[in-house]
């Protein structure tokens, strides 16, 4: 399921990051059907949707259809609500090519306060079905 343009949309690519880093500013859609089920009246972005968002953002960045093959680490620090946290930033602190794929590490944070972490991650993606 594609979430870009539905659950979230890319507002901009981040500029001025240190060498080797990249990132995106995204806006969550609080009216998306997922939020009506997870949890009505107090919506929370499901962890699997946040991981799918990472996959789609890297696919945009590298102009390839990427798939997560392995999640080495995904530490969810706090809940991400489209009501209180509709603007988030995804920073890829490191993306390296390894063994037929890409290893990406980074964080998802509140847009106006990068100290507010939602997720720290390390994932491995490939550009074909496995």
């Amino acid at each position: 399921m594609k979430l870009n343009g539905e659950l979230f949309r890319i507002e901009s690519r981040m500029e001025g990051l240190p060498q080797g880093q990249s990132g995106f500013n995204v806006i969550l859609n609080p009216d998306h059907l997922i939020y009506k089920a997870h949890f009505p009246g107090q919506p929370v972005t499901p962890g699997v949707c946040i991981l799918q968002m990472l996959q789609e953002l890297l696919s945009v960045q590298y102009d390839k259809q990427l798939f997560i093959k392995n999640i080495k680490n995904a530490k969810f620090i706090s809940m991400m609500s489209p009501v209180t946290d509709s603007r988030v930033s995804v920073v890829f602190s490191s993306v390296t090519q390894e063994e037929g794929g890409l290893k990406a590490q980074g964080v998802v944070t509140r847009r106006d306060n990068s100290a507010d972490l939602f997720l720290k991650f390390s994932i491995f993606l490939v550009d074909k079905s496995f």
Side-chain angles (χ1 to χ4, degrees):
M1 172 193 281
K2 182 180 175 215
L3 300 180
N4 186 6
E6 299 289 330
L7 181 74
F8 73 94
R9 71 177 171 82
I10 298 171
E11 183 175 37
S12 63
R13 288 188 184 218
M14 298 176 79
E15 297 182 15
L17 294 173
Q19 180 83 16
Q21 293 188 13
S22 61
F24 293 86
N25 293 310
V26 301
I27 298 176
L28 301 176
N29 175 8
D31 297 323
H32 193 275
L33 179 63
I34 286 174
Y35 293 122
K36 294 182 184 352
H38 199 267
F39 296 98
Q42 193 172 6
V44 174
T45 307
V48 69
C49 293
I50 298 170
L51 293 170
Q52 177 68 23
M53 180 170 60
L54 300 176
Q55 173 182 308
E56 291 183 26
L57 291 173
L58 284 167
S59 292
V60 167
Q61 182 171 323
Y62 288 92
D63 195 27
K64 292 183 178 184
Q65 182 62 48
L66 298 171
F67 301 91
I68 295 176
K69 183 175 182 181
N70 186 343
I71 301 169
K72 183 176 181 184
N73 183 29
K75 184 172 184 176
F76 293 91
I77 311 294
S78 61
M79 292 185 287
M80 190 166 75
S81 167
V83 176
T84 57
D85 312 306
S86 64
R87 294 179 172 297
V88 299
S89 296
V90 177
V91 176
F92 298 103
S93 56
S94 171
V95 180
T96 56
Q97 291 188 352
E98 295 182 8
E99 304 171 17
L102 295 174
K103 179 181 177 186
Q105 296 176 307
V107 295
V108 179
T109 65
R110 181 171 285 121
R111 173 86 171 276
D112 59 356
N113 187 351
S114 62
D116 288 343
L117 287 173
F118 298 114
L119 170 66
K120 288 176 145 180
F121 62 88
S122 178
I123 56 178
F124 186 77
L125 303 99
V126 295
D127 67 353
K128 58 182 174 276
S129 296
F130 49 91

